PDB file of all heavy atoms in Angstrom:
ATOM      1  N   GLU B 162     -29.183  84.239 -52.143  1.00  0.00           N
ATOM      2  CA  GLU B 162     -27.823  84.603 -51.729  1.00  0.00           C
ATOM      3  C   GLU B 162     -26.763  83.634 -52.252  1.00  0.00           C
ATOM      4  O   GLU B 162     -25.725  84.058 -52.802  1.00  0.00           O
ATOM      5  CB  GLU B 162     -27.744  84.708 -50.200  1.00  0.00           C
ATOM      6  CG  GLU B 162     -28.370  85.976 -49.638  1.00  0.00           C
ATOM      7  CD  GLU B 162     -29.889  85.951 -49.730  1.00  0.00           C
ATOM      8  OE1 GLU B 162     -30.469  84.851 -49.845  1.00  0.00           O
ATOM      9  OE2 GLU B 162     -30.506  87.039 -49.723  1.00  0.00           O
ATOM     10  N   ASP B 163     -26.977  82.360 -52.049  1.00  0.00           N
ATOM     11  CA  ASP B 163     -25.969  81.376 -52.464  1.00  0.00           C
ATOM     12  C   ASP B 163     -25.729  81.428 -53.974  1.00  0.00           C
ATOM     13  O   ASP B 163     -24.599  81.317 -54.439  1.00  0.00           O
ATOM     14  CB  ASP B 163     -26.396  79.961 -52.069  1.00  0.00           C
ATOM     15  CG  ASP B 163     -26.222  79.731 -50.582  1.00  0.00           C
ATOM     16  OD1 ASP B 163     -25.646  80.622 -49.918  1.00  0.00           O
ATOM     17  OD2 ASP B 163     -26.676  78.683 -50.092  1.00  0.00           O
ATOM     18  N   LEU B 164     -26.821  81.607 -54.710  1.00  0.00           N
ATOM     19  CA  LEU B 164     -26.697  81.636 -56.169  1.00  0.00           C
ATOM     20  C   LEU B 164     -25.957  82.901 -56.618  1.00  0.00           C
ATOM     21  O   LEU B 164     -25.105  82.863 -57.521  1.00  0.00           O
ATOM     22  CB  LEU B 164     -28.088  81.575 -56.803  1.00  0.00           C
ATOM     23  CG  LEU B 164     -28.171  81.402 -58.305  1.00  0.00           C
ATOM     24  CD1 LEU B 164     -27.424  80.160 -58.773  1.00  0.00           C
ATOM     25  CD2 LEU B 164     -29.632  81.325 -58.761  1.00  0.00           C
ATOM     26  N   VAL B 165     -26.291  84.024 -55.973  1.00  0.00           N
ATOM     27  CA  VAL B 165     -25.601  85.284 -56.289  1.00  0.00           C
ATOM     28  C   VAL B 165     -24.104  85.121 -56.039  1.00  0.00           C
ATOM     29  O   VAL B 165     -23.261  85.498 -56.865  1.00  0.00           O
ATOM     30  CB  VAL B 165     -26.179  86.443 -55.443  1.00  0.00           C
ATOM     31  CG1 VAL B 165     -25.309  87.690 -55.564  1.00  0.00           C
ATOM     32  CG2 VAL B 165     -27.608  86.746 -55.882  1.00  0.00           C
ATOM     33  N   LYS B 166     -23.790  84.502 -54.889  1.00  0.00           N
ATOM     34  CA  LYS B 166     -22.378  84.330 -54.531  1.00  0.00           C
ATOM     35  C   LYS B 166     -21.679  83.431 -55.553  1.00  0.00           C
ATOM     36  O   LYS B 166     -20.563  83.717 -56.019  1.00  0.00           O
ATOM     37  CB  LYS B 166     -22.300  83.707 -53.133  1.00  0.00           C
ATOM     38  CG  LYS B 166     -20.888  83.627 -52.592  1.00  0.00           C
ATOM     39  CD  LYS B 166     -20.917  83.062 -51.181  1.00  0.00           C
ATOM     40  CE  LYS B 166     -19.472  82.837 -50.724  1.00  0.00           C
ATOM     41  NZ  LYS B 166     -19.374  81.795 -49.736  1.00  0.00           N
ATOM     42  N   SER B 167     -22.341  82.366 -55.924  1.00  0.00           N
ATOM     43  CA  SER B 167     -21.752  81.404 -56.855  1.00  0.00           C
ATOM     44  C   SER B 167     -21.495  82.043 -58.221  1.00  0.00           C
ATOM     45  O   SER B 167     -20.407  81.903 -58.802  1.00  0.00           O
ATOM     46  CB  SER B 167     -22.677  80.193 -57.007  1.00  0.00           C
ATOM     47  OG  SER B 167     -22.236  79.371 -58.060  1.00  0.00           O
ATOM     48  N   ILE B 168     -22.510  82.763 -58.726  1.00  0.00           N
ATOM     49  CA  ILE B 168     -22.337  83.398 -60.040  1.00  0.00           C
ATOM     50  C   ILE B 168     -21.264  84.479 -59.961  1.00  0.00           C
ATOM     51  O   ILE B 168     -20.459  84.669 -60.883  1.00  0.00           O
ATOM     52  CB  ILE B 168     -23.682  83.978 -60.549  1.00  0.00           C
ATOM     53  CG1 ILE B 168     -24.655  82.838 -60.829  1.00  0.00           C
ATOM     54  CG2 ILE B 168     -23.483  84.816 -61.818  1.00  0.00           C
ATOM     55  CD1 ILE B 168     -26.053  83.276 -61.223  1.00  0.00           C
ATOM     56  N   GLY B 169     -21.239  85.184 -58.820  1.00  0.00           N
ATOM     57  CA  GLY B 169     -20.217  86.215 -58.638  1.00  0.00           C
ATOM     58  C   GLY B 169     -18.818  85.637 -58.691  1.00  0.00           C
ATOM     59  O   GLY B 169     -17.893  86.267 -59.217  1.00  0.00           O
ATOM     60  N   GLU B 170     -18.658  84.434 -58.121  1.00  0.00           N
ATOM     61  CA  GLU B 170     -17.320  83.830 -58.075  1.00  0.00           C
ATOM     62  C   GLU B 170     -16.972  83.071 -59.347  1.00  0.00           C
ATOM     63  O   GLU B 170     -15.846  83.131 -59.843  1.00  0.00           O
ATOM     64  CB  GLU B 170     -17.231  82.875 -56.879  1.00  0.00           C
ATOM     65  CG  GLU B 170     -17.223  83.593 -55.541  1.00  0.00           C
ATOM     66  CD  GLU B 170     -17.287  82.615 -54.367  1.00  0.00           C
ATOM     67  OE1 GLU B 170     -17.376  81.389 -54.610  1.00  0.00           O
ATOM     68  OE2 GLU B 170     -17.273  83.086 -53.230  1.00  0.00           O
ATOM     69  N   LEU B 171     -17.953  82.326 -59.864  1.00  0.00           N
ATOM     70  CA  LEU B 171     -17.657  81.401 -60.962  1.00  0.00           C
ATOM     71  C   LEU B 171     -18.195  81.852 -62.309  1.00  0.00           C
ATOM     72  O   LEU B 171     -17.861  81.272 -63.345  1.00  0.00           O
ATOM     73  CB  LEU B 171     -18.239  80.005 -60.653  1.00  0.00           C
ATOM     74  CG  LEU B 171     -17.800  79.382 -59.322  1.00  0.00           C
ATOM     75  CD1 LEU B 171     -18.561  78.109 -59.065  1.00  0.00           C
ATOM     76  CD2 LEU B 171     -16.293  79.105 -59.346  1.00  0.00           C
ATOM     77  N   GLY B 172     -19.072  82.834 -62.270  1.00  0.00           N
ATOM     78  CA  GLY B 172     -19.747  83.202 -63.509  1.00  0.00           C
ATOM     79  C   GLY B 172     -20.951  82.290 -63.726  1.00  0.00           C
ATOM     80  O   GLY B 172     -21.204  81.359 -62.952  1.00  0.00           O
ATOM     81  N   LEU B 173     -21.701  82.561 -64.764  1.00  0.00           N
ATOM     82  CA  LEU B 173     -22.894  81.762 -65.062  1.00  0.00           C
ATOM     83  C   LEU B 173     -22.469  80.473 -65.772  1.00  0.00           C
ATOM     84  O   LEU B 173     -21.904  80.528 -66.869  1.00  0.00           O
ATOM     85  CB  LEU B 173     -23.860  82.573 -65.937  1.00  0.00           C
ATOM     86  CG  LEU B 173     -25.235  81.957 -66.144  1.00  0.00           C
ATOM     87  CD1 LEU B 173     -26.043  81.970 -64.848  1.00  0.00           C
ATOM     88  CD2 LEU B 173     -26.002  82.701 -67.224  1.00  0.00           C
ATOM     89  N   LEU B 174     -22.712  79.342 -65.135  1.00  0.00           N
ATOM     90  CA  LEU B 174     -22.243  78.068 -65.706  1.00  0.00           C
ATOM     91  C   LEU B 174     -23.195  77.532 -66.761  1.00  0.00           C
ATOM     92  O   LEU B 174     -22.777  76.785 -67.642  1.00  0.00           O
ATOM     93  CB  LEU B 174     -22.078  77.036 -64.586  1.00  0.00           C
ATOM     94  CG  LEU B 174     -21.083  77.435 -63.480  1.00  0.00           C
ATOM     95  CD1 LEU B 174     -20.997  76.334 -62.430  1.00  0.00           C
ATOM     96  CD2 LEU B 174     -19.705  77.704 -64.074  1.00  0.00           C
ATOM     97  N   ARG B 175     -24.477  77.866 -66.615  1.00  0.00           N
ATOM     98  CA  ARG B 175     -25.464  77.351 -67.586  1.00  0.00           C
ATOM     99  C   ARG B 175     -26.270  78.532 -68.128  1.00  0.00           C
ATOM    100  O   ARG B 175     -26.729  79.369 -67.342  1.00  0.00           O
ATOM    101  CB  ARG B 175     -26.400  76.338 -66.923  1.00  0.00           C
ATOM    102  CG  ARG B 175     -25.681  75.124 -66.366  1.00  0.00           C
ATOM    103  CD  ARG B 175     -26.645  74.297 -65.524  1.00  0.00           C
ATOM    104  NE  ARG B 175     -27.779  73.851 -66.310  1.00  0.00           N
ATOM    105  CZ  ARG B 175     -29.023  73.759 -65.835  1.00  0.00           C
ATOM    106  NH1 ARG B 175     -29.280  74.119 -64.613  1.00  0.00           N
ATOM    107  NH2 ARG B 175     -30.000  73.335 -66.609  1.00  0.00           N
ATOM    108  N   PRO B 176     -26.496  78.580 -69.396  1.00  0.00           N
ATOM    109  CA  PRO B 176     -27.319  79.660 -69.944  1.00  0.00           C
ATOM    110  C   PRO B 176     -28.785  79.487 -69.561  1.00  0.00           C
ATOM    111  O   PRO B 176     -29.204  78.399 -69.136  1.00  0.00           O
ATOM    112  CB  PRO B 176     -27.138  79.515 -71.459  1.00  0.00           C
ATOM    113  CG  PRO B 176     -26.802  78.077 -71.659  1.00  0.00           C
ATOM    114  CD  PRO B 176     -26.046  77.638 -70.439  1.00  0.00           C
ATOM    115  N   LEU B 177     -29.528  80.550 -69.710  1.00  0.00           N
ATOM    116  CA  LEU B 177     -30.964  80.490 -69.458  1.00  0.00           C
ATOM    117  C   LEU B 177     -31.661  79.907 -70.687  1.00  0.00           C
ATOM    118  O   LEU B 177     -31.180  80.055 -71.804  1.00  0.00           O
ATOM    119  CB  LEU B 177     -31.507  81.891 -69.172  1.00  0.00           C
ATOM    120  CG  LEU B 177     -30.657  82.785 -68.264  1.00  0.00           C
ATOM    121  CD1 LEU B 177     -31.326  84.161 -68.107  1.00  0.00           C
ATOM    122  CD2 LEU B 177     -30.470  82.146 -66.909  1.00  0.00           C
ATOM    123  N   TRP B 178     -32.814  79.253 -70.442  1.00  0.00           N
ATOM    124  CA  TRP B 178     -33.595  78.727 -71.578  1.00  0.00           C
ATOM    125  C   TRP B 178     -34.648  79.756 -71.974  1.00  0.00           C
ATOM    126  O   TRP B 178     -35.339  80.280 -71.114  1.00  0.00           O
ATOM    127  CB  TRP B 178     -34.297  77.430 -71.194  1.00  0.00           C
ATOM    128  CG  TRP B 178     -33.386  76.252 -71.083  1.00  0.00           C
ATOM    129  CD1 TRP B 178     -32.582  75.934 -70.040  1.00  0.00           C
ATOM    130  CD2 TRP B 178     -33.203  75.233 -72.067  1.00  0.00           C
ATOM    131  NE1 TRP B 178     -31.896  74.772 -70.293  1.00  0.00           N
ATOM    132  CE2 TRP B 178     -32.253  74.316 -71.537  1.00  0.00           C
ATOM    133  CE3 TRP B 178     -33.720  75.010 -73.350  1.00  0.00           C
ATOM    134  CZ2 TRP B 178     -31.833  73.194 -72.239  1.00  0.00           C
ATOM    135  CZ3 TRP B 178     -33.310  73.883 -74.028  1.00  0.00           C
ATOM    136  CH2 TRP B 178     -32.360  72.993 -73.479  1.00  0.00           C
ATOM    137  N   LEU B 179     -34.778  79.954 -73.242  1.00  0.00           N
ATOM    138  CA  LEU B 179     -35.636  81.028 -73.714  1.00  0.00           C
ATOM    139  C   LEU B 179     -36.765  80.507 -74.619  1.00  0.00           C
ATOM    140  O   LEU B 179     -36.588  79.564 -75.374  1.00  0.00           O
ATOM    141  CB  LEU B 179     -34.776  82.012 -74.521  1.00  0.00           C
ATOM    142  CG  LEU B 179     -35.237  83.455 -74.583  1.00  0.00           C
ATOM    143  CD1 LEU B 179     -35.245  84.068 -73.190  1.00  0.00           C
ATOM    144  CD2 LEU B 179     -34.329  84.249 -75.506  1.00  0.00           C
ATOM    145  N   ALA B 180     -37.903  81.158 -74.509  1.00  0.00           N
ATOM    146  CA  ALA B 180     -39.003  80.922 -75.465  1.00  0.00           C
ATOM    147  C   ALA B 180     -39.705  82.261 -75.653  1.00  0.00           C
ATOM    148  O   ALA B 180     -39.231  83.291 -75.140  1.00  0.00           O
ATOM    149  CB  ALA B 180     -39.958  79.873 -74.921  1.00  0.00           C
ATOM    150  N   LEU B 181     -40.798  82.265 -76.354  1.00  0.00           N
ATOM    151  CA  LEU B 181     -41.582  83.485 -76.506  1.00  0.00           C
ATOM    152  C   LEU B 181     -42.914  83.286 -75.795  1.00  0.00           C
ATOM    153  O   LEU B 181     -43.530  82.221 -75.894  1.00  0.00           O
ATOM    154  CB  LEU B 181     -41.850  83.786 -77.980  1.00  0.00           C
ATOM    155  CG  LEU B 181     -40.613  83.960 -78.871  1.00  0.00           C
ATOM    156  CD1 LEU B 181     -41.043  84.291 -80.296  1.00  0.00           C
ATOM    157  CD2 LEU B 181     -39.711  85.064 -78.337  1.00  0.00           C
ATOM    158  N   ASP B 182     -43.359  84.322 -75.083  1.00  0.00           N
ATOM    159  CA  ASP B 182     -44.661  84.185 -74.421  1.00  0.00           C
ATOM    160  C   ASP B 182     -45.779  84.439 -75.426  1.00  0.00           C
ATOM    161  O   ASP B 182     -45.534  84.640 -76.630  1.00  0.00           O
ATOM    162  CB  ASP B 182     -44.744  85.105 -73.195  1.00  0.00           C
ATOM    163  CG  ASP B 182     -44.811  86.584 -73.573  1.00  0.00           C
ATOM    164  OD1 ASP B 182     -44.998  86.893 -74.766  1.00  0.00           O
ATOM    165  OD2 ASP B 182     -44.666  87.419 -72.675  1.00  0.00           O
ATOM    166  N   GLY B 183     -47.005  84.459 -74.954  1.00  0.00           N
ATOM    167  CA  GLY B 183     -48.152  84.576 -75.837  1.00  0.00           C
ATOM    168  C   GLY B 183     -48.171  85.858 -76.643  1.00  0.00           C
ATOM    169  O   GLY B 183     -48.796  85.925 -77.710  1.00  0.00           O
ATOM    170  N   ASP B 184     -47.485  86.900 -76.133  1.00  0.00           N
ATOM    171  CA  ASP B 184     -47.438  88.170 -76.851  1.00  0.00           C
ATOM    172  C   ASP B 184     -46.171  88.313 -77.681  1.00  0.00           C
ATOM    173  O   ASP B 184     -45.861  89.403 -78.174  1.00  0.00           O
ATOM    174  CB  ASP B 184     -47.517  89.330 -75.846  1.00  0.00           C
ATOM    175  CG  ASP B 184     -48.840  89.313 -75.098  1.00  0.00           C
ATOM    176  OD1 ASP B 184     -49.862  88.974 -75.733  1.00  0.00           O
ATOM    177  OD2 ASP B 184     -48.844  89.598 -73.891  1.00  0.00           O
TER     178      ASP B 184
END
Side-chain angles (χ1 to χ4, degrees):
Chain B
E162 284 72 21
D163 285 353
L164 188 56
V165 169
K166 186 177 173 207
S167 170
I168 294 175
E170 290 174 358
L171 305 173
L173 189 69
L174 301 180
R175 299 170 59 217
L177 318 179
W178 287 80
L179 207 62
L181 301 182
D182 70 11
D184 297 323

